[in-house]
Every structure is written in structure tokens, then in C-alpha cells.
């Protein structure tokens, strides 16, 4: 317990668990589509490497909490997208494989799977989660707890590749929830990044927006350090809403 009565940092999961979250149970709604999005986005974000072998069908279905029939349908869709190759026989299985189409083109196809209503709803949810995390971090964190956030914010400001930027963007919000000492908020941020993170590549290739994001992330850190909880929440929410707004505008322009 801190002298001012605020609790010391707890055991919330850190950003290293983001890759693990790829293989956690999916939502019961539209399970095939959810599995396709989960694994496809993990591939786009580099959480699953080109040539990496996925777990066996029975094991993977169990990890995702779906039936083997659902998993096979999802793997078929991923094969059609060129993101997975299945080999038969000894040493066979399903392997990650990146197609020849540029990542931006593949992600625009992925974006077209979302309706603007779904994106707005997801943006509202994400803003609420990140805003709550920022507010609690300002109330609970200690100075040393913000070092990961500062490192991630600086790495984002100098990152060259959109995929790297989207990973760092997502990592910042996961680390913000971890600084809030809330395991539930941290898990929710990880789930949001697993479901949505790859699509942010499409809006983080704009230098002006990247500078705005970097400035807001630094402002969030400053507000948390100052224990200005409401300011921290507003800044975190604004950061998310600006990025989601750009993504929605891009979706509206997508045939």
C-alpha cells in the first residue's frame, strides 16, 4: 500500500501475453468468422510468423473453444485467403504462409468484412476500456510502473513499418491497462488488439496521424504521472476515437 492509501502495483498480465491470447477461446457468435479474424490478424501483426506450424486441429480447436468442424471451416477460409497452407502426410499440418498480395491490400479486404456499425460499436467499447484504464492508472500507479509505457511510446514515434506501429499502438494500451493494476481490463485490451490490431496498419501509415498518436500517448503518460485521472481518461479515449474514426472513414470509402 502506498502512503497515500493507493495500492501498490499488482499482478496484471503484461503485453507478453498478447501472443498467447491468439489461442484463447473465441466468442460464441459467428465462430468461424471469429477464428478467421483472430488467426488472420495475428499473422498480419507478426504474432504468428511466416512458415510457423499451427497446433494440430484437435489441440487448436480446444484452445479456441470451438468444434473441429468449425476450425476446419475457418482453416479453409484462411487457405482461400492465402494465409495458411495445409500439408498432408508425415510432418504435415497447417502452416502460416503470407501470399504475394501486399499487406495493405489484404487488410482492406479484411476491413470490408466489418460493417461501419460494428466498427463504431467496437470503437465505443475500446474507448471505454482504455479510458477506464487510464483513469485507474492515474490513481494507482507508481513512477516506475510507467517505464514500459514510455519505452513503447518512444518506439512508436520512430517505427518505420505500419505493422510495427500497430503492434506498438496496441502494446501501449495493454500496458496502460496493466499499469491500472486491473487483470480484467488488461485481458480485455489484449482481446481487442487480437481482434482489431492488424487493421490499424491501414491508418498508422499516415505521418501526421502517427505524430498525433505519439503526442497523445505522451500526454496520457504525463497525465498519469500527475495523477490527473480525468484528463488521462479523456486523452486515452480521444486517442482511440481518432484512430477508429479514420478506420471507419476508410471503410466507408471501401467498395
Amino acid at each position: 500500500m502506498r502512503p497515500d492509501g493507493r495500492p501498490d502495483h499488482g499482478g496484471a498480465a503484461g503485453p507478453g501475453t498478447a501472443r498467447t491470447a491468439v489461442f484463447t477461446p473465441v466468442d460464441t457468435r459467428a465462430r468461424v468468422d471469429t477464428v478467421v479474424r483472430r488467426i488472420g490478424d495475428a499473422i498480419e501483426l507478426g504474432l504468428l510468423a511466416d512458415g510457423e506450424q499451427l497446433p494440430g486441429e484437435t489441440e487448436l480447436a480446444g484452445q479456441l473453444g470451438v468444434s473441429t468442424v468449425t476450425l476446419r471451416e475457418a482453416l479453409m477460409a484462411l487457405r482461400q485467403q492465402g494465409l495458411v497452407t495445409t500439408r498432408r502426410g508425415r510432418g504435415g499440418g497447417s502452416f502460416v504462409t503470407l501470399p504475394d498480395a501486399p499487406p495493405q491490400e489484404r487488410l482492406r479486404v479484411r476491413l470490408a468484412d466489418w460493417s461501419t456499425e460494428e466498427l463504431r460499436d467496437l470503437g465505443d467499447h475500446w474507448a471505454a476500456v482504455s479510458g477506464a484504464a487510464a483513469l485507474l492508472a492515474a490513481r494507482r500507479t507508481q513512477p516506475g510502473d510507467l517505464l514500459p509505457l514510455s519505452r513503447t511510446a518512444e518506439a512508436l514515434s520512430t517505427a518505420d513499418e505500419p505493422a510495427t506501429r500497430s503492434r506498438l499502438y496496441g502494446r501501449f494500451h495493454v500496458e496502460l491497462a496493466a499499469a491500472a493494476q486491473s487483470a480484467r481490463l488488461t485481458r480485455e485490451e489484449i482481446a481487442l488488439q487480437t481482434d482489431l490490431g492488424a487493421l490499424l496498419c491501414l491508418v498508422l501509415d499516415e505521418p501526421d496521424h502517427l505524430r498525433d498518436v505519439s503526442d497523445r500517448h505522451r500526454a496520457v503518460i504525463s497525465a498519469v504521472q500527475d495523477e490527473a485521472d480525468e484528463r488521462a481518461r479523456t486523452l486515452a479515449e480521444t486517442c482511440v476515437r481518432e484512430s477508429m474514426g479514420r478506420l471507419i472513414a476508410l471503410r466507408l470509402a471501401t467498395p
Side-chain angles (χ1 to χ4, degrees):
M1 185 74 69
R2 292 169 57 179
D4 60 1
R6 300 183 181 191
D8 292 333
H9 60 279
T17 58
R19 190 180 188 283
T20 304
V22 174
F23 302 121
T24 56
V26 300
D27 195 294
T28 56
R29 295 164 295 178
R31 287 192 165 193
V32 172
D33 290 341
T34 304
V35 172
V36 171
R37 286 177 178 176
R38 175 80 62 84
I39 295 178
D41 285 354
I43 292 170
E44 298 289 1
L45 284 169
L47 295 173
L48 300 175
D50 188 25
E52 178 176 346
Q53 184 172 7
L54 298 176
E57 287 186 356
T58 302
E59 180 184 356
L60 183 53
Q63 290 174 338
L64 294 172
V66 300
S67 68
T68 53
V69 173
T70 296
L71 178 66
R72 285 169 185 161
E73 289 183 34
L75 290 175
M76 182 184 300
L78 288 165
R79 284 195 294 272
Q80 292 171 346
Q81 293 179 23
L83 295 175
V84 167
T85 299
T86 300
R87 305 172 194 163
R88 304 297 179 187
R90 188 174 181 178
S94 295
F95 297 83
V96 173
T97 178
L98 295 180
D100 294 332
Q104 298 287 73
E105 181 180 325
R106 297 198 304 269
L107 287 173
R108 285 179 182 272
V109 172
R110 276 283 295 106
L111 179 62
D113 289 339
W114 291 83
S115 69
T116 54
E117 291 77 12
E118 288 174 320
L119 290 171
R120 287 193 183 99
D121 186 56
L122 189 60
D124 290 342
H125 178 60
W126 186 13
V129 171
S130 288
L135 181 142
L136 291 175
R139 293 178 179 178
R140 297 173 176 175
T141 194
Q142 299 184 77
D145 298 335
L146 299 179
L147 291 177
L149 276 171
S150 298
R151 285 195 294 265
T152 299
E154 291 310 310
L156 173 61
S157 67
T158 58
D160 294 327
E161 298 294 327
T164 303
R165 293 170 182 171
S166 66
R167 285 197 296 271
L168 291 167
Y169 188 111
R171 181 187 299 173
F172 179 89
H173 287 273
V174 172
E175 289 172 342
L176 183 62
Q181 301 164 35
S182 171
R184 187 176 294 275
L185 286 175
T186 303
R187 288 194 299 269
E188 193 64 27
E189 281 286 1
I190 289 171
L192 282 163
Q193 300 311 319
T194 304
D195 288 338
L196 180 65
L199 295 179
L200 293 174
C201 295
L202 296 171
V203 297
L204 290 173
D205 62 345
E206 303 171 18
D208 289 344
H209 181 51
L210 178 62
R211 280 193 295 270
D212 288 343
V213 168
S214 297
D215 289 343
R216 284 199 181 93
H217 282 186
R218 294 188 187 101
V220 169
I221 294 172
S222 178
V224 170
Q225 287 175 329
D226 294 343
E227 300 183 1
D229 51 5
E230 290 295 342
R231 178 157 57 93
R233 175 168 63 181
T234 299
L235 286 165
E237 289 179 350
T238 301
C239 186
V240 169
R241 292 190 188 282
E242 285 289 329
S243 295
M244 288 301 298
R246 286 172 176 264
L247 199 58
I248 290 169
L250 187 60
R251 173 62 185 87
L252 287 170
T254 301

